[in-house]
Amino acid sequence: MKRITIFGYFGFDNTGDDSVLESMLNDLRSSKEESEIIVFSNAVKKTQEQYRKYNIKCAKWDEFELLNMIIHDSDLLIIGGGGLYNCYLDYPKELFLKGNHSYFSIINFELPYLARLYQVPCMIFGAGASRILSEEAERHIGRSLTYCNRITVRDEGSKEILSRLPYAEKCNIEVTADPVFRLTGQALSSSEQCTLEYLKAQKKPLIGVSLRNWDLHGNNEKTVTAVANAINDFIEQNGGTIVLLPFDDGGILENISKDSLILNQLEEQLNSNANVLRLSGYLKPAYALTLIKECTLSICMRLHPTIMSVSAGVPVLGLEYDPKVRNIMKMCNVEDQCIDIGEIDSDSVLERLNDLYTNYSQIRNRELTAAKTLREKAFQNIQYVWELLEHKAESPKRDELMEALIKAFFDNLEKEYLQKIQILFNDMKYLDVIELTACMADDSCSADIIYKMAFSYHQAGDSEHALKYYNMALEKGFSEFWVRYNRGQLYASLENRDKAKTDLIKAYKLNPERDDLLTLLKNIMESKV
């Protein structure tokens, strides 16, 4: 079975980036060939539960030693999930290829280096690029591109940015399309279904609004005022309902990513008698797409609700706070529906809204035609994945000195990883042990680690996994006494007395000084356990 590792901006309550993951997983699971998929996320349990139907494993993205262990044992590393190639803020270059920090860009940029170290194929998957304001970041990214087997980006603008980086002249950067063009609807929860039914019953037209709290250049107030005034005038003329759609529920940098902050400002400036449906919290990708499909028009500052609008044939007004918004609208043949927020005013927004509403059918058809083409182009990303898995790229030759350095680097990381597990196990933090080991390839784990996994699952009440790893620990040669001692008690708790007696009798023969085993066996015989 092939082992695919995916790294992106996942689990940060960002609907757009999680939509990329949803699309990727849906397409990857459409393959006839079964594969093990591991996703790095900021919210391990939440991501694993959210995408449970795709049967994935999850690991914390900033666990540096674990990151290395997993990449080392992978058949393919995929880097994808939104606009991963940017650097707006500080770039502490001294952290590059170092662990024990949570600077997302640094870890993201160093991944192809790690893949090259471990001779694992690496693909950049329909990613986006925007401003990179650090020369050191440019150098790190540029060099990393030369270590990738495939590089696909979502638009020409991203290709231009990456192509200007140092070393990039050696790379083949191909424009495909954003994976979110392939997002499909899914079954809704009961509460989501109730909200959808409520939305369907509201006054038409429905205007979906997705703004980003992006006040780095002081444009928020101007943008909010222009949009609010235009919506007020439009609703006064045509009636309707305003649907406020947050696509980021906080993330790491609240001041530039929490959509509720700017949507609050907008709502305060809407007419007091306006019919407003305010969504709150995190919107799951398929749910967000379903809500947008119900809208008549949309106003989108964020990229992925713009893409969802085009995919659904909802005439969209794009607000360009970053060139990526105009780039994607240009790809969709609707660039004339885009306004630069630096030049925004109420009249220009109202004029565009009226045009979208008046020419609804024509614009809808134009968007659906573009979406169909881009949906097919986005599938090229998946085809490249299958090619890389089928024909593993030949690894570059390395001399003995390089091999020794790489081995020393990996061995040191492995030692730190094992120490972490030992400390957690000693402290009886069994759920943390499970989280740190769940994504490791079983055949690469020592007997000691397998036993710790078994015991941790046992203590966590997961008997299925506990039995699996107790059996594996015994096969790998871990202490037969301790495996049978604990597995016997697990069998007893499951009321499998025959297997419990077999294990505990063998454990007693291995260590006849353990009087507690006699007590356990007596209780089993008397069916007290």
Side-chain angles (χ1 to χ4, degrees), residues 12 28 119 203 230 247 279 342 440 522:
F12 290 91
L28 286 171
Q119 298 180 311
K203 302 174 186 175
F247 261 62
L279 281 299
M440 290 293 291
K522 182 180 178 182

Side-chain angles (χ1 to χ4, degrees), residues 83-91 103 105-106 108-109 124 127-145 153 157-166 168 173 214 216-217 322-323:
L84 295 176
Y85 293 94
N86 63 69
C87 184
Y88 293 96
L89 305 174
D90 62 311
Y91 186 76
Y103 201 98
S105 292
I106 292 235
N108 182 62
F109 299 164
I124 294 176
S130 50
R131 297 182 182 92
I132 303 171
L133 303 181
S134 159
E135 289 186 8
E136 199 65 29
E138 287 188 336
R139 190 174 69 82
H140 284 164
I141 298 169
R143 173 63 78 182
S144 78
L145 298 181
V153 292
S158 295
K159 179 178 180 178
E160 289 175 13
I161 289 170
L162 295 183
S163 296
R164 292 196 297 265
L165 298 178
I173 303 171
W214 189 259
L216 293 182
H217 305 291
D322 183 282

Side-chain angles (χ1 to χ4, degrees), residues 181-219:
F181 280 107
R182 297 189 58 77
L183 184 67
T184 58
Q186 305 288 345
L188 303 181
S189 68
S190 56
S191 61
E192 291 170 343
Q193 189 63 44
C194 286
T195 302
L196 178 62
E197 294 303 321
Y198 178 78
L199 178 62
K200 288 180 176 180
Q202 300 310 298
K203 302 174 186 175
K204 306 296 190 295
L206 300 178
I207 306 173
V209 182
S210 172
L211 302 183
R212 178 170 187 174
N213 188 46
W214 189 259
D215 205 26
L216 293 182
H217 305 291
N219 287 316

